[in-house]
Amino acid sequence: MSPELFRGPKLIEAEENRTPSAAAGYRRSSVKLELAKAAAAMEVQPKSSRKEKKAKRQEVLERKKKIDKLIQAASSEHDHLSSFPPFRRFDRNGLCVVLESGNGDKLSAALKQYIQNLLKVNMEGPFGEEWPEEEKVKRREMVSPEARYIFVKEESPEADNDKTAAFVGFVHFRLTLEEEIPVLYVYEIQLESRIQGKGLGKFLMQLVELIARKSCMSAVVLTVQKANVAAMNFYTSKLRYTISSISPSRVDPLMGAEKSYEILCKAFDREAKVALEETA
């Protein structure tokens, strides 16, 4: 606010009757005083501000380091099924299968081919004209060292005679970061059509959630094609997943309408809910 608003008529008249040199001297001394005050204020503020910024950076770095260690430790687990023996076998509704763990960089040639074939059968339709490019991406993702698998093998006399034929589905997941939150991201859950509708999909997702919690992940995240209506209903209605705040349709509804997919999530703690479920 201007100093004139605080000066009475007499003070203004006295200043106007000063000689030019005296008035100039007054202004110079006033300016010097203001500069000195400003300099003093600047000396205090930057130091405080720098300390706060440094402390904040240190806090962020420590948190990142802690999460990185958490993910690294969880990813180094050789067999994520070892903590859940009851989930190694599914025997319901006329279907009997066993589960086993696997890593993306340790897949046999036959298993790679099986995964590619099942992906094509199940996903070419929902992806439509996008499939040729998407298939290339999935082939790279499939063999990544970060890829973790749960393989589904059917128990039957015929399957025992042919190791390739024994596989009837798989889950591909990774332990990673999403919005600086440690999450288990489900890249794929693929089952052959003849074993669908028997409760195995729900069983596998329950297992995935248990693995996420055991690994101290704060949420499970996955991507679903909008055209795959059955899958969308399965996750949102049966398993109570929600469309994430990072999904295109919630980040920007106009641009999101042009995207062919949604990102779904289930958060386990408040921080994850704020980051992945709530919108501003």
Side-chain angles (χ1 to χ4, degrees), residues 168-182:
V168 291
F170 68 91
V171 180
H172 166 192
F173 68 91
R174 300 190 192 189
L175 303 164
T176 185
L177 273 179
E178 198 66 50
E179 296 296 298
E180 303 305 314
I181 299 293

Side-chain angles (χ1 to χ4, degrees), residues 59-67 180-181 271:
E59 182 183 339
V60 171
L61 287 172
E62 288 297 325
R63 183 178 183 279
K64 186 178 184 303
K65 193 182 296 184
K66 182 179 178 181
I67 292 175
E180 303 305 314
I181 299 293
E271 186 178 17

Side-chain angles (χ1 to χ4, degrees), residues 103-105 139-149 174:
N103 286 357
D105 57 352
R139 286 190 180 190
R140 291 195 298 271
E141 292 174 343
M142 176 183 72
V143 295
S144 168
E146 289 78 29
R148 297 292 177 269
Y149 284 91
R174 300 190 192 189

Side-chain angles (χ1 to χ4, degrees), residues 42-57:
M42 287 177 68
E43 268 193 35
V44 175
Q45 186 61 29
K47 285 182 181 178
S48 174
S49 180
R50 283 197 296 270
K51 284 182 180 179
E52 289 176 2
K53 287 180 179 178
K54 185 177 180 180
K56 185 65 177 177
R57 281 198 301 270

Side-chain angles (χ1 to χ4, degrees), residues 86-186:
F87 280 84
R88 284 192 177 275
R89 182 185 178 89
F90 178 90
D91 189 359
R92 302 174 197 168
N93 303 318
L95 177 65
C96 185
V97 297
V98 292
L99 309 183
E100 62 181 43
S101 298
N103 286 357
D105 57 352
K106 293 181 174 62
L107 301 177
S108 66
L111 196 45
K112 289 178 188 176
Q113 190 60 56
Y114 173 77
I115 291 171
Q116 290 174 17
N117 291 342
L118 185 56
L119 282 169
K120 183 177 177 65
V121 169
N122 286 355
M123 303 308 296
E124 187 174 19
F127 275 99
E129 61 184 18
E130 296 178 8
W131 176 247
E133 286 302 315
E134 188 63 28
E135 185 177 28
K136 293 177 184 177
V137 174
K138 289 185 179 294
R139 286 190 180 190
R140 291 195 298 271
E141 292 174 343
M142 176 183 72
V143 295
S144 168
E146 289 78 29
R148 297 292 177 269
Y149 284 91
I150 299 170
F151 291 111
V152 183
K153 299 175 71 174
E154 190 171 24
E155 280 194 334
S156 69
E158 295 80 10
D160 290 339
N161 296 328
D162 186 342
K163 291 185 177 181
T164 302
F167 290 98
V168 291
F170 68 91
V171 180
H172 166 192
F173 68 91
R174 300 190 192 189
L175 303 164
T176 185
L177 273 179
E178 198 66 50
E179 296 296 298
E180 303 305 314
I181 299 293
V183 305
L184 186 154
Y185 206 119
V186 179

Side-chain angles (χ1 to χ4, degrees), residues 181-184 212 216-220 266-269 271-273 276:
I181 299 293
V183 305
L184 186 154
C216 298
M217 300 294 104
S218 296
V220 172
K266 180 183 284 189
F268 303 138
D269 58 48
E271 186 178 17
K273 286 182 183 294
L276 299 172

